[in-house]
């Protein structure tokens, strides 16, 4: 009887592997930018849209859940691409603020519009009820995988 409970393990593994193989995060978009760089532009735009004049590497690091050196590496790439600028805070020279250029703002706006469109399409495909269930289940899966990873760290 207990065997039936796990008869779809191979199917579940296959689905997760298909997501991993899709490699969406590694594809370049809009002028050769990586998905991680696009996420950073969106993060900075969201800070700017809240009325903040700029954001810091530490704030970006926390929001994207990546290390500060990772943010700095992406930041250098985005500066070279003409998407962001780095300025020193006028009141505290130890603080560096990150702001979007017009080019960076346009790309971030396009990305936000695209993300909205894709996820609205998922909701259209699944319907509201199944979409709500999917959100609930994906959050449960995420929390479970987080707890398993924490156990591996012990």
């Amino acid at each position: 009887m207990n065997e039936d409970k796990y008869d779809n393990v191979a199917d579940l593994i296959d689905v997760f592997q298909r997501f991993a193989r899709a490699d969406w995060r590694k594809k370049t978009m809009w002028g050769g930018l990586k998905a991680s760089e696009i996420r950073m532009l969106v993060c900075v735009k969201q800070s700017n849209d809240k009325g903040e004049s700029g954001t810091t590497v530490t704030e970006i690091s926390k929001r994207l859940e990546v290390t500060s050196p990772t943010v700095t590496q992406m930041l250098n790439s985005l500066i070279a691409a003409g998407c962001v600028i780095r300025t020193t805070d006028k009141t505290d020279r130890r603080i560096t603020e990150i702001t979007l250029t017009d080019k960076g703002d346009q790309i971030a706006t396009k990305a936000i519009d695209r993300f909205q469109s894709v996820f609205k399409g998922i909701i259209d495909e699944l319907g509201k009820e199944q979409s709500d269930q999917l959100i609930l289940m994906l959050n449960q899966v995420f929390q479970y995988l987080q707890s398993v990873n924490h156990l591996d760290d012990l």
Side-chain angles (χ1 to χ4, degrees), residues 77-96:
S77 176
L78 289 169
I79 290 170
C83 295
V84 296
I85 54 173
R86 182 179 7 211
T87 56
T88 304
D89 186 272
K90 293 172 184 72
T91 58
D92 187 344
R93 297 193 53 76
R94 295 171 297 174
I95 299 173
T96 302

Side-chain angles (χ1 to χ4, degrees), residues 119-120 122-141:
F119 285 94
K120 283 178 180 178
I122 290 172
I123 293 169
D124 289 342
E125 182 71 23
L126 297 177
K128 175 83 168 98
E129 187 177 322
Q130 281 188 306
S131 297
D132 289 342
Q133 289 174 349
L134 178 63
I135 292 165
L136 177 70
M137 289 187 290
L138 287 174
N139 277 317
Q140 288 173 325
V141 169

Side-chain angles (χ1 to χ4, degrees), residues 53 56 72 105 112 124 149:
S53 60
T56 66
T72 300
D105 189 67
I112 290 168
D124 289 342
N149 282 339

Side-chain angles (χ1 to χ4, degrees), residues 57-72:
V57 168
T58 302
E59 290 165 355
I60 295 168
S61 174
K62 286 178 187 172
R63 288 193 59 205
L64 296 180
E65 298 181 10
V66 296
T67 65
S68 289
T70 299
V71 171
T72 300

